[in-house]
Amino acid sequence: MKALSILVLLFLPLISFEHGSDVVLDDQKIDFNALSEQFLTNIKEGKDTQDLQNVLANASLEELESGLETNDQKTAFWLNIYNAYIQVILAKNPELYEDRSSFFKREQINIAGKMFSFADIEHGMVRKSQWEYGLGYIRKWFPGKYERTLRVEKRDYRIHFALNCGAKDCPPVAIYEADRLDEQLAKGTKRFLTKTSEFDSVKREAAVTSLFSWFRGDFGGKGGTKDILKKNGIIKSTEGVDLVYKNYDWTLYLDNFIEL
């Protein structure tokens, strides 16, 4: 704790927070949500992020646990961290994207002294310990201590329209705030589905993003997917509607930011 406090005091003059929160509260406690928001803000504005990365790396598991108390705080934090490191790592080494399978499984993100992969964050933290290849129907049997401690408490299908994996067909990057999370996820979901979905009223056929196929259990299967499309105004009725999954454009596409 003393080492981290010294580190924060050293870096604090170099870190400006523009979302109404400071990185340190009550002299010691780090506001990890504010830090994650500033991480993305710095990227968006072309500013350096190394000091913020250092604070994240040198924090302790206990500090993260106490700083991320609610489900919304955890969800917003991990969405921002995932999206931020996609931008940082691929902007510096775009060639890593040529082998995407290896890229997403590579442990390259230091959070509280533990190296995470993008797959660890997506499937472990944000999807609440889902097995990567289980289509959303099978959970991991033995998640580790960090994952059990820091993962979200409730799976929310809308995170799939918030995580940006660096590809052209990925959802754009927004800066998620814990106290506005539900509103932001609702807006982001509607925006993404409206942009990517097509409905042929003659064929009664909805062409939708492949995300609905890859994580079908998260969405409640085909029935759940149709309900989501109806809720977001893509279709007026779920009766007799067939689903067609579009091909996914994996072309590298960074700096795709939006405001929600």
Side-chain angles (χ1 to χ4, degrees):
M1 183 66 184
K2 290 182 179 179
L4 178 60
S5 299
I6 293 171
L7 179 68
V8 170
L9 290 173
L10 287 172
F11 287 143
L12 189 56
L14 305 176
I15 304 173
S16 61
F17 281 74
E18 300 171 3
H19 289 278
S21 298
D22 293 326
V23 67
V24 179
L25 301 177
D26 302 327
D27 248 3
Q28 299 290 331
K29 189 175 181 181
I30 300 173
D31 186 332
F32 288 102
N33 285 106
L35 189 154
S36 74
E37 293 168 29
Q38 191 62 40
F39 196 167
L40 278 173
T41 298
N42 281 15
I43 294 169
K44 187 176 180 180
E45 297 177 352
K47 298 178 182 177
D48 186 71
T49 64
Q50 190 58 57
D51 293 337
L52 296 171
Q53 294 182 55
N54 291 343
V55 173
L56 285 168
N58 287 281
S60 68
L61 175 61
E62 292 74 22
E63 286 166 333
L64 271 169
E65 183 179 13
S66 65
L68 302 173
E69 296 181 318
T70 70
N71 189 68
D72 284 355
Q73 286 175 335
K74 292 174 183 176
T75 304
F77 172 79
W78 286 116
L79 288 176
N80 290 339
I81 292 301
Y82 184 103
N83 290 344
Y85 273 103
I86 283 284
Q87 301 294 314
V88 167
I89 294 173
L90 289 176
K92 185 176 181 180
N93 298 297
E95 68 280 359
L96 294 175
Y97 213 57
E98 295 172 7
D99 184 352
R100 291 189 301 275
S101 178
S102 175
F103 171 73
F104 289 114
K105 291 180 173 62
R106 179 182 176 185
E107 294 180 347
Q108 53 192 324
I109 302 166
N110 191 341
I111 305 292
K114 177 176 172 57
M115 299 303 292
F116 288 84
S117 69
F118 287 105
D120 291 333
I121 295 175
E122 179 178 7
H123 308 298
M125 300 305 182
V126 187
R127 297 182 63 223
K128 196 180 178 182
S129 300
Q130 287 291 309
W131 181 43
E132 182 177 356
Y133 304 106
L135 301 177
Y137 293 110
I138 305 173
R139 294 191 64 184
K140 294 181 183 178
W141 285 9
F142 304 109
K145 179 181 178 181
Y146 270 68
E147 189 170 314
R148 296 194 309 273
T149 302
L150 300 175
R151 68 189 178 190
V152 300
E153 299 153 16
K154 182 180 179 182
R155 214 173 8 152
D156 188 329
Y157 71 82
R158 297 176 299 178
I159 60 92
H160 292 293
F161 311 122
L163 285 171
N164 178 283
C165 63
K168 191 171 184 179
D169 273 355
C170 285
V173 179
I175 299 175
Y176 289 96
E177 304 168 38
D179 59 356
R180 294 184 56 233
L181 184 63
D182 185 66
E183 170 198 347
Q184 288 181 299
L185 288 177
K187 286 181 178 179
T189 294
K190 187 174 182 63
R191 182 188 184 279
F192 183 75
L193 293 181
T194 300
K195 183 178 180 180
T196 60
S197 306
E198 299 171 11
F199 180 61
D200 187 324
S201 59
V202 176
K203 294 182 178 179
R204 301 289 295 167
E205 185 176 272
V208 297
T209 174
S210 294
L211 293 169
F212 280 120
S213 176
W214 299 337
F215 305 104
R216 61 196 69 172
D218 290 14
F219 301 108
K222 287 189 175 181
T225 296
K226 294 176 189 179
D227 288 338
I228 292 167
L229 295 176
K230 181 181 177 182
K231 179 179 180 181
N232 287 277
I234 309 302
I235 57 177
K236 293 182 178 180
S237 171
T238 61
E239 294 297 323
V241 173
D242 291 324
L243 298 177
V244 176
Y245 303 108
K246 293 182 173 182
N247 291 328
Y248 208 76
D249 188 344
W250 286 101
T251 304
L252 183 61
Y253 185 57
L254 300 177
D255 298 317
N256 181 20
F257 285 90
I258 59 166
E259 299 281 343
L260 289 178

Short mmCIF file of all heavy atoms in Angstrom, two decimals, residues 18-41:
data_model
loop_
_atom_site.label_atom_id
_atom_site.label_comp_id
_atom_site.label_asym_id
_atom_site.label_seq_id
_atom_site.Cartn_x
_atom_site.Cartn_y
_atom_site.Cartn_z
N GLU A 18 -11.00 14.89 -15.93
CA GLU A 18 -11.96 15.87 -16.40
C GLU A 18 -13.39 15.40 -16.25
O GLU A 18 -14.30 15.98 -16.81
CB GLU A 18 -11.65 16.20 -17.87
CG GLU A 18 -10.25 16.77 -18.05
CD GLU A 18 -9.85 16.90 -19.50
OE1 GLU A 18 -10.68 16.60 -20.37
OE2 GLU A 18 -8.71 17.31 -19.76
N HIS A 19 -13.64 14.33 -15.50
CA HIS A 19 -14.98 13.81 -15.32
C HIS A 19 -15.50 14.04 -13.91
O HIS A 19 -16.38 13.36 -13.44
CB HIS A 19 -15.02 12.31 -15.64
CG HIS A 19 -14.85 12.05 -17.10
ND1 HIS A 19 -15.88 12.14 -18.01
CD2 HIS A 19 -13.76 11.73 -17.83
CE1 HIS A 19 -15.44 11.86 -19.22
NE2 HIS A 19 -14.17 11.62 -19.14
N GLY A 20 -14.88 14.97 -13.20
CA GLY A 20 -15.40 15.33 -11.88
C GLY A 20 -14.89 14.46 -10.76
O GLY A 20 -15.32 14.59 -9.63
N SER A 21 -13.94 13.57 -11.02
CA SER A 21 -13.40 12.72 -9.96
C SER A 21 -11.89 12.78 -10.00
O SER A 21 -11.28 13.01 -11.02
CB SER A 21 -13.86 11.26 -10.16
OG SER A 21 -15.25 11.15 -10.08
N ASP A 22 -11.27 12.56 -8.85
CA ASP A 22 -9.82 12.49 -8.77
C ASP A 22 -9.39 11.03 -8.68
O ASP A 22 -10.14 10.18 -8.24
CB ASP A 22 -9.31 13.24 -7.54
CG ASP A 22 -9.55 14.74 -7.66
OD1 ASP A 22 -9.48 15.24 -8.79
OD2 ASP A 22 -9.81 15.38 -6.63
N VAL A 23 -8.14 10.79 -9.06
CA VAL A 23 -7.63 9.44 -9.00
C VAL A 23 -7.50 8.96 -7.57
O VAL A 23 -7.59 7.79 -7.27
CB VAL A 23 -6.28 9.32 -9.74
CG1 VAL A 23 -5.19 10.09 -9.05
CG2 VAL A 23 -5.88 7.87 -9.90
N VAL A 24 -7.27 9.90 -6.63
CA VAL A 24 -7.11 9.53 -5.23
C VAL A 24 -8.21 10.18 -4.41
O VAL A 24 -8.42 11.39 -4.49
CB VAL A 24 -5.73 9.95 -4.68
CG1 VAL A 24 -5.60 9.58 -3.22
CG2 VAL A 24 -4.63 9.30 -5.48
N LEU A 25 -8.92 9.39 -3.64
CA LEU A 25 -9.94 9.90 -2.72
C LEU A 25 -9.53 9.58 -1.30
O LEU A 25 -8.94 8.54 -1.04
CB LEU A 25 -11.30 9.27 -3.03
CG LEU A 25 -11.84 9.49 -4.44
CD1 LEU A 25 -13.16 8.74 -4.59
CD2 LEU A 25 -12.05 10.96 -4.73
N ASP A 26 -9.86 10.48 -0.37
CA ASP A 26 -9.55 10.26 1.05
C ASP A 26 -8.06 9.97 1.25
O ASP A 26 -7.67 9.18 2.09
CB ASP A 26 -10.37 9.09 1.61
CG ASP A 26 -11.86 9.33 1.47
OD1 ASP A 26 -12.26 10.51 1.55
OD2 ASP A 26 -12.59 8.35 1.29
N ASP A 27 -7.22 10.62 0.46
CA ASP A 27 -5.77 10.52 0.59
C ASP A 27 -5.19 9.22 0.06
O ASP A 27 -4.05 9.18 -0.35
CB ASP A 27 -5.34 10.65 2.04
CG ASP A 27 -4.58 11.93 2.26
OD1 ASP A 27 -4.47 12.69 1.29
OD2 ASP A 27 -4.12 12.14 3.37
N GLN A 28 -5.94 8.13 0.10
CA GLN A 28 -5.36 6.84 -0.24
C GLN A 28 -6.12 6.12 -1.36
O GLN A 28 -5.51 5.51 -2.21
CB GLN A 28 -5.36 5.93 1.00
CG GLN A 28 -4.54 6.45 2.17
CD GLN A 28 -3.05 6.42 1.89
OE1 GLN A 28 -2.58 5.58 1.14
NE2 GLN A 28 -2.31 7.32 2.49
N LYS A 29 -7.45 6.17 -1.33
CA LYS A 29 -8.25 5.32 -2.21
C LYS A 29 -8.24 5.81 -3.65
O LYS A 29 -8.47 6.99 -3.93
CB LYS A 29 -9.68 5.27 -1.69
CG LYS A 29 -10.56 4.25 -2.40
CD LYS A 29 -11.91 4.17 -1.74
CE LYS A 29 -12.80 3.14 -2.44
NZ LYS A 29 -14.15 3.08 -1.82
N ILE A 30 -8.01 4.90 -4.58
CA ILE A 30 -8.01 5.23 -6.00
C ILE A 30 -9.41 5.07 -6.56
O ILE A 30 -10.08 4.08 -6.29
CB ILE A 30 -7.04 4.30 -6.77
CG1 ILE A 30 -5.62 4.44 -6.24
CG2 ILE A 30 -7.08 4.60 -8.26
CD1 ILE A 30 -4.65 3.45 -6.82
N ASP A 31 -9.85 6.04 -7.34
CA ASP A 31 -11.14 5.93 -8.03
C ASP A 31 -10.87 5.24 -9.37
O ASP A 31 -10.50 5.87 -10.36
CB ASP A 31 -11.74 7.32 -8.24
CG ASP A 31 -13.15 7.26 -8.83
OD1 ASP A 31 -13.46 6.28 -9.54
OD2 ASP A 31 -13.93 8.18 -8.60
N PHE A 32 -11.05 3.93 -9.40
CA PHE A 32 -10.70 3.16 -10.59
C PHE A 32 -11.63 3.44 -11.76
O PHE A 32 -11.23 3.32 -12.92
CB PHE A 32 -10.69 1.66 -10.26
CG PHE A 32 -9.53 1.25 -9.41
CD1 PHE A 32 -9.69 1.02 -8.05
CD2 PHE A 32 -8.26 1.13 -9.95
CE1 PHE A 32 -8.61 0.66 -7.25
CE2 PHE A 32 -7.17 0.77 -9.16
CZ PHE A 32 -7.35 0.53 -7.81
N ASN A 33 -12.86 3.79 -11.49
CA ASN A 33 -13.76 4.14 -12.59
C ASN A 33 -13.33 5.44 -13.26
O ASN A 33 -13.30 5.54 -14.49
CB ASN A 33 -15.20 4.24 -12.10
CG ASN A 33 -15.83 2.88 -11.85
OD1 ASN A 33 -16.02 2.47 -10.70
ND2 ASN A 33 -16.14 2.15 -12.92
N ALA A 34 -12.99 6.44 -12.44
CA ALA A 34 -12.49 7.70 -13.00
C ALA A 34 -11.20 7.47 -13.78
O ALA A 34 -10.99 8.07 -14.84
CB ALA A 34 -12.27 8.71 -11.88
N LEU A 35 -10.36 6.60 -13.25
CA LEU A 35 -9.10 6.30 -13.92
C LEU A 35 -9.36 5.66 -15.29
O LEU A 35 -8.74 6.03 -16.29
CB LEU A 35 -8.25 5.37 -13.04
CG LEU A 35 -6.81 5.11 -13.49
CD1 LEU A 35 -5.96 4.74 -12.27
CD2 LEU A 35 -6.71 3.98 -14.50
N SER A 36 -10.30 4.71 -15.35
CA SER A 36 -10.59 4.03 -16.61
C SER A 36 -11.20 5.00 -17.63
O SER A 36 -10.93 4.90 -18.83
CB SER A 36 -11.54 2.85 -16.38
OG SER A 36 -12.87 3.25 -16.12
N GLU A 37 -12.01 5.94 -17.14
CA GLU A 37 -12.59 6.95 -18.03
C GLU A 37 -11.49 7.86 -18.60
O GLU A 37 -11.48 8.18 -19.79
CB GLU A 37 -13.62 7.78 -17.28
CG GLU A 37 -14.86 7.01 -16.87
CD GLU A 37 -15.72 7.78 -15.89
OE1 GLU A 37 -15.70 9.03 -15.95
OE2 GLU A 37 -16.41 7.15 -15.05
N GLN A 38 -10.56 8.27 -17.71
CA GLN A 38 -9.49 9.14 -18.16
C GLN A 38 -8.55 8.43 -19.12
O GLN A 38 -8.00 9.05 -20.04
CB GLN A 38 -8.70 9.67 -16.96
CG GLN A 38 -7.74 10.79 -17.32
CD GLN A 38 -8.45 12.02 -17.87
OE1 GLN A 38 -9.51 12.38 -17.36
NE2 GLN A 38 -7.90 12.63 -18.89
N PHE A 39 -8.37 7.14 -18.93
CA PHE A 39 -7.54 6.33 -19.83
C PHE A 39 -8.05 6.50 -21.26
O PHE A 39 -7.29 6.81 -22.20
CB PHE A 39 -7.64 4.87 -19.37
CG PHE A 39 -6.59 3.95 -19.92
CD1 PHE A 39 -6.42 2.67 -19.37
CD2 PHE A 39 -5.77 4.30 -20.98
CE1 PHE A 39 -5.47 1.79 -19.86
CE2 PHE A 39 -4.81 3.43 -21.49
CZ PHE A 39 -4.67 2.17 -20.92
N LEU A 40 -9.34 6.31 -21.47
CA LEU A 40 -9.92 6.45 -22.80
C LEU A 40 -9.93 7.90 -23.28
O LEU A 40 -9.72 8.17 -24.47
CB LEU A 40 -11.34 5.88 -22.82
CG LEU A 40 -11.45 4.37 -22.99
CD1 LEU A 40 -12.90 3.91 -22.82
CD2 LEU A 40 -10.93 3.93 -24.35
N THR A 41 -10.15 8.84 -22.36
CA THR A 41 -10.13 10.25 -22.73
C THR A 41 -8.76 10.64 -23.26
O THR A 41 -8.64 11.34 -24.27
CB THR A 41 -10.50 11.14 -21.53
OG1 THR A 41 -11.83 10.82 -21.11
CG2 THR A 41 -10.43 12.61 -21.89
#
